[in-house]
Amino acid sequence: SELSSISKINNWGFFLFDLRRALAWDWWIPVFMGLNGIWLLLNLLCPGQTCFNFSLALLFTIAPECIVWSNWPLMHVGTASMAVSLAIISLKNNNILLSLLLALCTALLVSWFALQLYLPRLIPVALISAVIYAAYCINNHVHFFTKSNCVFLIYTALISSILLFDWLYHNYDAILRMLNSSYPGQRRIYGGAPAGIWDFNYARGWLFPITIKDSFFAKYTKIPSNPSEAMSYISLFIPITVSALYYVCKSYRKINYIVISALALLFLFIAYEYIGLPEIIGKITFLNRSVPGRSIIGIGFTSVILLAFLYKYRNTIDIKHKFLFFSTCLLPFIIFFARNRELVDFIRENY
């Protein structure tokens, strides 16, 4: 009965197919949206490396956290990536009819993204999408206010506003009750991990598959076990940060604002995850409405973007710094094993 239900693309199967195919549609649409959305965005940001960009998109898509959470994170990242990609395509377009079509698709994606309602993941992804889009416009010196792009922006805002206000109208009372609740309405978290587990949190991800063991995770970190987050996304942010900083310092005369922005976002999410943010920054970025354990999606997403750019600029990094990149990959293991003698005994006894 709600007009806004049109934007929930994962539910279209229930109107088009029988129940069995509709359930398959509902399950697989986030996967295809995540894979193709990230792939398209990386191809627009770093053209000429299609296969490598596909590999990065696939690595993110099959990340354990995405799979264990029933592809839900892919719905967040996929809709945002696809919406940003269509917005970038609109910048290069001069056809009014195509602008209207792009506006309709983008409005559906923006509404679908917003109506997923899970702020702990939506906020980091929305922050990345907005910053990367703005950085792309600055980096490429685009003519933002062309006739076709203005049509795109106006109709995108108009259609998405209609869909979201329709949802707001039908669910206003429920929203008020939720906003006045202690959780999630009044919850504010400014980040920071418990003392002594920073090195372990970095080591989680595909680099450290032993973390999947519930008993081990709970015993040695003294925090509740959550295997899907223990495995998380591809976790290479220390070597990525070192390499990106090296590239920025070496190319300071021709700075790529997308790399700078992605690097700044990576620092922001690392600070939120492990250190904590000042109250003012938490409010400005809305990360105070997120949760460190869920905002790890921001580290995974920005890492994929930075890896694409590092591959693009790989020829500017000499062999000495390539060695530095790979050697820093070992840093979390060295720190973790050095600080956890019990872990060494555990592996000796069981493996």
Side-chain angles (χ1 to χ4, degrees):
S1 60
E2 295 180 20
L3 182 64
S4 59
S5 61
I6 296 172
S7 64
K8 298 176 182 177
I9 300 172
N10 57 312
N11 291 338
W12 286 6
F14 294 99
F15 301 99
L16 300 174
F17 310 117
D18 58 76
L19 182 59
R20 183 179 177 182
R21 289 180 174 83
L23 290 171
W25 172 281
D26 182 54
W27 178 263
W28 285 107
I29 275 294
V31 177
F32 286 107
M33 185 66 71
L35 178 62
N36 290 291
I38 297 171
W39 187 28
L40 178 58
L41 179 61
L42 294 180
N43 284 335
L44 290 169
L45 297 178
C46 301
Q49 51 184 55
T50 306
C51 293
F52 184 78
N53 290 338
F54 181 80
S55 300
L56 289 176
L58 184 63
L59 280 175
F60 190 95
T61 302
I62 62 175
E65 184 171 354
C66 295
I67 295 170
V68 176
W69 283 101
S70 303
N71 303 322
W72 199 16
L74 291 175
M75 210 166 349
H76 308 323
V77 175
T79 49
S81 299
M82 192 67 76
V84 173
S85 300
L86 295 182
I88 290 174
I89 291 171
S90 175
L91 293 170
K92 306 175 181 180
N93 169 55
N94 294 315
N95 188 306
I96 299 298
L97 289 178
L98 181 57
S99 293
L100 291 172
L101 179 61
L102 289 172
L104 175 61
C105 296
T106 307
L108 289 174
L109 290 167
V110 169
S111 303
W112 187 22
F113 177 80
L115 292 180
Q116 290 166 41
L117 300 180
Y118 191 61
L119 292 181
R121 284 202 191 99
L122 291 183
I123 288 172
V125 174
L127 190 60
I128 294 169
S129 303
V131 171
I132 294 299
Y133 178 68
Y136 179 89
C137 294
I138 296 170
N139 200 66
N140 292 276
H141 307 289
V142 298
H143 298 290
F144 191 75
F145 294 107
T146 60
K147 184 178 179 181
S148 57
N149 196 51
C150 287
V151 168
F152 167 80
L153 293 172
I154 291 169
Y155 276 89
T156 298
L158 180 63
I159 297 170
S160 58
S161 297
I162 290 171
L163 293 172
L164 292 174
F165 275 113
D166 175 75
W167 175 82
L168 185 64
Y169 174 77
H170 286 91
N171 299 278
Y172 185 71
D173 292 337
I175 294 167
L176 282 182
R177 286 195 293 270
M178 183 177 69
L179 289 174
N180 292 323
S181 64
S182 58
Y183 170 78
Q186 302 298 319
R187 182 177 68 175
R188 301 291 185 274
I189 299 177
Y190 293 92
I197 65 165
W198 188 93
D199 50 352
F200 185 85
N201 272 318
Y202 172 70
R204 61 188 193 170
W206 296 12
L207 296 179
F208 203 30
I210 198 173
T211 56
I212 198 64
K213 291 182 175 293
D214 283 19
S215 57
F216 173 81
F217 189 90
K219 179 178 178 181
Y220 287 97
T221 64
K222 313 300 182 186
I223 57 176
S225 172
N226 190 335
S228 64
E229 285 169 0
M231 292 298 283
S232 187
Y233 305 95
I234 182 170
S235 297
L236 288 169
F237 64 73
I238 287 180
I240 287 171
T241 302
V242 170
S243 300
L245 280 173
Y246 169 75
Y247 161 74
V248 169
C249 293
K250 190 170 181 178
S251 309
Y252 66 93
R253 292 183 180 177
K254 191 179 178 181
I255 292 176
N256 188 310
Y257 291 101
I258 304 174
V259 175
I260 294 289
S261 301
L263 192 57
L265 287 169
L266 185 59
F267 282 137
L268 177 68
F269 293 126
I270 290 171
Y272 180 69
E273 182 78 17
Y274 303 118
I275 302 169
L277 297 176
E279 185 175 346
I280 183 66
I281 295 178
K283 288 180 178 179
I284 291 172
T285 60
F286 294 100
L287 283 174
N288 63 336
R289 293 179 177 270
S290 185
V291 182
R294 301 291 183 266
S295 65
I296 196 76
I297 194 172
I299 293 177
F301 194 15
T302 50
S303 295
V304 164
I305 294 172
L306 284 171
L307 278 171
F309 277 100
L310 289 175
Y311 183 79
K312 179 181 179 180
Y313 298 123
R314 63 192 181 278
N315 293 329
T316 66
I317 303 176
D318 55 39
I319 190 67
K320 179 176 64 177
H321 291 90
K322 286 178 181 177
F323 175 77
L324 178 64
F325 175 89
F326 290 110
S327 63
T328 50
C329 291
L330 300 175
L331 181 62
F333 300 99
I334 295 169
I335 297 173
F336 188 76
F337 277 88
R339 291 187 55 182
N340 293 272
R341 296 306 298 273
E342 291 179 333
L343 170 61
V344 177
D345 296 335
F346 176 86
I347 294 175
R348 239 181 239 156
E349 293 170 5
N350 293 275
Y351 294 92

